[in-house]
Amino acid sequence: MNTGFRIYDQYGIYFITFALVNWIDALTRRRYREEIIDSLSHCQKQKGMRIVAYCIMSNHVHLVAYATGPSGLSELLRDFKKYTATQILQSIKRDPESRRSWMLDRFSWRGKMNPRNTRYQFWQQDNHPVNIESHYFMQQKIDYIHENPVRAGWVYRPEDYDYSSAGSYVDETGPLEVEIYRKYG
């Protein structure tokens, strides 16, 4: 499905949202969220991805990010999604998972509808990228990302959620290296 959202500047900074097919709540287990963190870390260290903000929710991921390496942002995201889909699907099949059959059926059904897939489709194809062109928009998106777990009722304060960059903005600690954005003026 073409939503009209595209990454036109492969080295521009973007607010990106990518979701699981049918918004399936598959990222509820710690090991799946850790796979996302590990893969983002790999993209940072090996592929030139820079992350300004992130949040991993149960059925989608938000990023403010840009590319600095030879791969543009579209290629980075494509590889990231392909790798994490493979890893998480393998984990769903291998590890104890109460919803295994249901999730694999949903991912398989979506995969059969997409000629680009061989068996399963885990992520929706689009990334819903929005180019960040102002300080106001940047701050708005960072705040939106960090408030996601609060709005979901998971935590009272954004910095208390382990799978978000909000903690990095408070005390500069967290599982991923984040380029802290400080608004000018």
Side-chain angles (χ1 to χ4, degrees), residues 103-112 119-121:
M103 285 195 293
L104 292 175
D105 285 347
R106 300 308 304 158
F107 295 136
S108 176
W109 179 74
R110 288 302 300 223
K112 290 175 186 171
R119 184 151 189 211
Y120 296 106
Q121 183 169 340

Side-chain angles (χ1 to χ4, degrees), residues 10 22 25 30 50 59 70 77 80-81 101 103 107 142 146 160 167 170 172:
Q10 292 299 316
N22 298 111
D25 283 324
R30 179 174 291 273
R50 299 295 180 258
N59 56 15
L77 293 173
F80 166 82
K81 287 169 68 175
S101 294
M103 285 195 293
F107 295 136
I142 292 170
H146 290 163
D160 292 336
V170 172
E172 298 187 13

Side-chain angles (χ1 to χ4, degrees), residues 53-159:
Y54 70 92
C55 186
I56 303 167
M57 298 298 286
S58 63
N59 56 15
H60 65 286
V61 174
H62 290 297
L63 294 173
V64 171
Y66 62 99
T68 61
S71 300
L73 193 55
S74 293
E75 189 175 322
L76 275 171
L77 293 173
R78 180 201 65 211
D79 292 350
F80 166 82
K81 287 169 68 175
K82 182 177 179 180
Y83 180 79
T84 55
T86 300
Q87 295 304 111
I88 294 170
L89 284 165
Q90 285 177 355
S91 187
I92 290 170
K93 292 175 189 177
R94 178 188 63 237
D95 300 335
E97 173 58 70
S98 60
R99 301 177 303 149
R100 174 185 296 131
S101 294
W102 177 80
M103 285 195 293
L104 292 175
D105 285 347
R106 300 308 304 158
F107 295 136
S108 176
W109 179 74
R110 288 302 300 223
K112 290 175 186 171
M113 296 175 60
N114 185 344
R116 292 183 183 184
N117 291 329
T118 56
R119 184 151 189 211
Y120 296 106
Q121 183 169 340
F122 187 78
W123 297 106
Q124 292 180 19
Q125 281 195 242
D126 62 341
N127 295 316
H128 198 90
V130 180
N131 192 8
I132 295 182
E133 297 179 351
S134 73
H135 295 295
Y136 173 80
F137 192 61
M138 171 75 88
Q139 192 60 57
Q140 179 189 46
K141 292 307 172 191
I142 292 170
D143 292 344
Y144 174 82
I145 287 171
H146 290 163
E147 288 291 328
N148 243 227
V150 175
R151 285 190 302 275
W154 297 348
V155 293
Y156 290 109
R157 300 177 315 164
E159 61 269 24

Side-chain angles (χ1 to χ4, degrees), residues 26-77:
L27 303 177
T28 55
R29 301 205 185 267
R30 179 174 291 273
R31 66 182 174 269
Y32 306 152
R33 293 188 305 258
E34 292 292 333
E35 188 62 55
I36 302 290
I37 292 290
D38 290 347
S39 188
L40 286 171
S41 179
H42 172 80
C43 288
Q44 288 178 301
K45 293 173 184 167
Q46 303 298 322
K47 297 186 172 225
M49 177 184 273
R50 299 295 180 258
I51 298 173
V52 176
Y54 70 92
C55 186
I56 303 167
M57 298 298 286
S58 63
N59 56 15
H60 65 286
V61 174
H62 290 297
L63 294 173
V64 171
Y66 62 99
T68 61
S71 300
L73 193 55
S74 293
E75 189 175 322
L76 275 171
L77 293 173

